[in-house]
Amino acid sequence: MIGIALRYVRTSITLLLATAFCLSAGILPARSLAEAGTLRIALLANAQVQGDAVLLADFMPPHVPSGLRAIAESISLGSAPQIGSTRTFSRATLAAALEDVRLSRESFLVPEFLTARRAGHFLTQQDVFTAIEAALTKNKNVPVPTLHPQDLTLESIIEVPDGPSTLEVTQMTFDESIRRARFRLWPRNAAGTLPFYVTAPIKTEKSSQPISAPSASALSAKSAVLVDPRQLARLHLHSANSTMLLLVRPLQPGHLNETIRVRLVASGRTLQAKVIAANSLDATF
């Protein structure tokens, strides 16, 4: 009798430990566990998604078989929400995804609602400075003041998806009358996010970098087409007190020192500008 009692105690402890492990892993015993020998996986009620689609795998707990996770990664519940917002799926909506022949609906415990949030981060001064520095490097024909990350003032709090930065500078204005530089930027990988502005003071120390002349190859081949309507170009638009760098669409091919018509990408306005280098034009206002 003592031996039987000890075996009963050991069996009870084993069952308790197994149940505790299943609970910590998000796997709960089914009602028919004794009969069918199956486990039910408790889906998470909240998840953070990385891509453009919400996957069933996003709501899986960490400890699930790799084969099951691979199947769940191929099942989309819908498009991911915008950065900074959430999207909620009902239990009824999820039922359709669980109709996959490779899955058993009885294998899951589904919350009444599942909420997905798009993973992202807030832009910092350094993020913006890196994008501005890259834009200034590409446009050496525009004299600019010396800038540092701490000089920049973000006029908005912008959240972008996690991953490599895709910030693009679409406009630069340097106003000497109020000694301020203003940049318009757009995160290309954040669908639905509008362009935003960043400002910086123009300090008394001027950049020693001169305006570069057209390349020798361009000078020696004046007949070459330097600006093509099939490709966007950069327009240096300036006055006595300010200067701007804009993206434009040439309306005709342009040769060195030739004045052509261009259309501003941002506003659609047309004006005339002089070709000064490959994909670069100059105009005054």
Side-chain angles (χ1 to χ4, degrees):
M1 293 295 293
I2 295 177
I4 294 174
L6 288 175
R7 283 197 299 273
Y8 177 78
V9 170
R10 283 197 294 267
T11 301
S12 299
I13 292 174
T14 301
L15 290 174
L16 287 173
L17 290 175
T19 302
F21 172 78
C22 292
L23 289 172
S24 65
I27 304 173
L28 302 179
R31 296 176 182 175
S32 58
L33 176 61
E35 298 176 2
T38 60
L39 295 178
R40 302 188 74 184
I41 298 174
L43 297 180
L44 304 175
N46 298 278
Q48 204 171 55
V49 299
Q50 300 287 343
D52 294 328
V54 180
L55 306 177
L56 177 60
D58 293 325
F59 295 98
M60 289 285 187
H63 308 291
V64 296
S66 57
L68 180 58
R69 182 172 295 278
I71 295 173
E73 287 175 347
S74 67
I75 299 176
S76 173
L77 303 181
S79 59
Q82 299 282 346
I83 294 297
S85 61
T86 61
R87 183 176 181 186
T88 300
F89 300 89
S90 66
R91 183 182 293 163
T93 301
L94 194 67
L98 296 178
E99 292 294 339
D100 191 291
V101 294
R102 297 168 295 176
L103 298 174
S104 170
R105 293 182 57 180
E106 300 302 320
S107 299
F108 299 93
L109 289 176
V110 182
E112 184 176 358
F113 296 102
L114 294 90
T115 302
R117 184 180 187 278
R118 185 77 173 270
H121 67 278
F122 293 105
L123 289 176
T124 64
Q125 288 177 307
Q126 185 59 53
D127 294 331
V128 175
F129 177 76
T130 300
I132 292 175
E133 190 176 39
L136 294 176
T137 301
K138 293 180 180 178
N139 299 278
K140 295 183 178 180
N141 60 311
V142 179
V144 296
T146 302
L147 296 175
H148 303 284
Q150 60 270 23
D151 298 330
L152 302 176
T153 299
L154 279 68
E155 299 181 2
S156 307
I157 298 176
I158 305 295
E159 190 174 9
V160 297
D162 286 340
S165 175
T166 58
L167 274 180
E168 179 179 337
V169 179
T170 59
Q171 179 180 324
M172 295 187 283
T173 305
F174 305 99
D175 195 331
E176 291 288 349
S177 63
I178 59 174
R179 306 203 63 77
R180 185 187 70 171
R182 194 169 191 238
F183 305 89
R184 183 174 63 186
L185 299 97
W186 176 57
R188 289 187 290 106
N189 64 336
T193 300
L194 297 175
F196 62 96
Y197 289 91
V198 173
T199 59
I202 297 179
K203 300 181 179 180
T204 53
E205 51 185 342
K206 299 290 184 71
S207 174
S208 59
Q209 178 180 310
I211 300 178
S212 61
S215 65
S217 59
L219 290 174
S220 62
K222 292 186 178 181
S223 61
V225 175
L226 300 181
V227 174
D228 192 307
R230 295 171 298 181
Q231 185 175 358
L232 294 179
R234 298 179 296 271
L235 170 65
H236 178 207
L237 186 63
H238 55 93
S239 68
N241 295 320
S242 65
T243 180
M244 293 182 289
L245 187 67
L246 307 173
L247 284 176
V248 297
R249 171 73 66 182
L251 299 180
Q252 62 191 92
H255 304 78
L256 184 63
N257 294 326
E258 184 178 6
T259 299
I260 65 171
R261 294 174 61 249
V262 299
R263 176 178 288 117
L264 300 181
V265 172
S267 65
R269 176 187 173 188
T270 61
L271 48 85
Q272 291 188 328
K274 182 180 179 180
V275 179
I276 60 173
N279 295 322
S280 296
L281 303 105
D282 185 88
T284 59
F285 67 97

